Amino acid sequence: MLSAWRKPLNTVMLKVDPLNPEQNTINKAAKLIQDGEIVAFPTETVYGLGADAGNDRAVRRIFEAKGRPQDNPIIVHIATFDQLKEVASEIPSKVAEIAYFYWPGPLTLIFKKSDRVSDVTTAGSNTVAVRMPSHPVALALINASHRPIAAPSANLSGRPSPTTAQHVLADLAGRIPMILDGGATVYGIESTVVDVSVEPAVILRPGPITREDLAPLLGEVNMHSKSVDRPVAPGMKYTHYAPKAPLILVESKRNSVVDKIKPLAEMYYSQGKRTGILCTDETFDKYPDAMIKISLGSRFYPYTIAKNLYACLRRMDELEVDMILAEGFTGDGIFETIMNRLRKASSRIVLNS
Ligand code: TXA
Ligand code: MG
């Protein structure tokens, strides 16, 4: 049961050097975690909202602060391989091999859970999602807290994940006691979640580590289909990553997204709607300057596009647009991840064959 909503808190924002975090600052955040409080901190993917993974009451505070549905389990963050033995009851050698290869890094793996992990963290499931982040601040916080930290992305449920401390503040001011501000995150998009307990392994959520990256270790890897009735990763059934304005995603096999977006944008513009176009460096000049245009970056640097995506969606909100028209991408690897997030952020998809 959720307790009544807490009194507004004074949210303290502390700057911390992302490459060499000051121990004093880290200790202040670790003390809060040890006391059963929640703290937002940077990881190499997005900002997380952390609590002691073994403390029911602390983890409930995460769900309350985010407005997160209670049946959506949370990833447990560890700093050492010894901590993996604490949170997982079984570590199959195949999974350990992948963990050794990719950790620390933006990959989350599913294990059978140990009693050490709160049932609130795993939403009652007998499995636990675990990752070892590579961000120095995240690692320092886990180490100083001396416990695994449960942390979802530090946004209000349904909003784009935060890639800066300012994004966290915009969503969670008054709802959490502390934010560690370590600047912008590196990948800007959440970790890849893989279930290796099934054959072939399944990507439950695409991320920075792609199907192609995993293939040499895992062989065939399937992408989880969104059409299943009962999602394996419960998070898949919720609205995600969405800006406030409706987003129309234009997907095209022929790279003719501009030809489709231009007339749509002109139509909305003539109706007096503030229309934002989410484009790329290569297409920016093809749209009229009278329109609100934001480039995600160059199509030649897709990891930069992934990194900028959530910040650009939030920027559209700040510009108070009524509609967003977004260019789709084709291609595999990280483009698959970008399209997964864009589709989830969209209210409508236009296919332009
Ligand atoms: O990069 C990330 O993964 C970030 C940073 C903070 O580490 N965290 C993050 O957490 O994105 P969150 O809660 O926003 O997403 C966690 C995803 C959800 O889709 C959830 O359903 C899935 O992981 N998940 C968590 N536990 C699971 C489990 N036991 N089995 C299957 N999926 C699980
Ligand atoms: Mg999230």
Side-chain angles (χ1 to χ4, degrees), residues 264-278:
L264 277 174
E266 272 151 13
M267 183 186 80
Y268 290 124
Y269 188 73
S270 69
Q271 291 171 357
K273 291 200 170 99
R274 267 175 82 77
T275 307
I277 302 175
L278 214 49

Side-chain angles (χ1 to χ4, degrees), residues 14 17 23 32 46 51 60 62 64 69 75 121 156 169 178 189 202 204 282 323 348 353:
L14 297 180
D17 189 327
Q23 198 60 45
L32 284 175
V46 299
R60 275 199 196 98
I62 296 178
E64 282 174 27
I75 296 171
T121 301
L156 281 177
L169 193 67
M178 186 180 285
I189 211 151
V202 180
L204 301 175
E282 287 74 22
M323 304 284 315
R348 191 145 69 86
S353 54

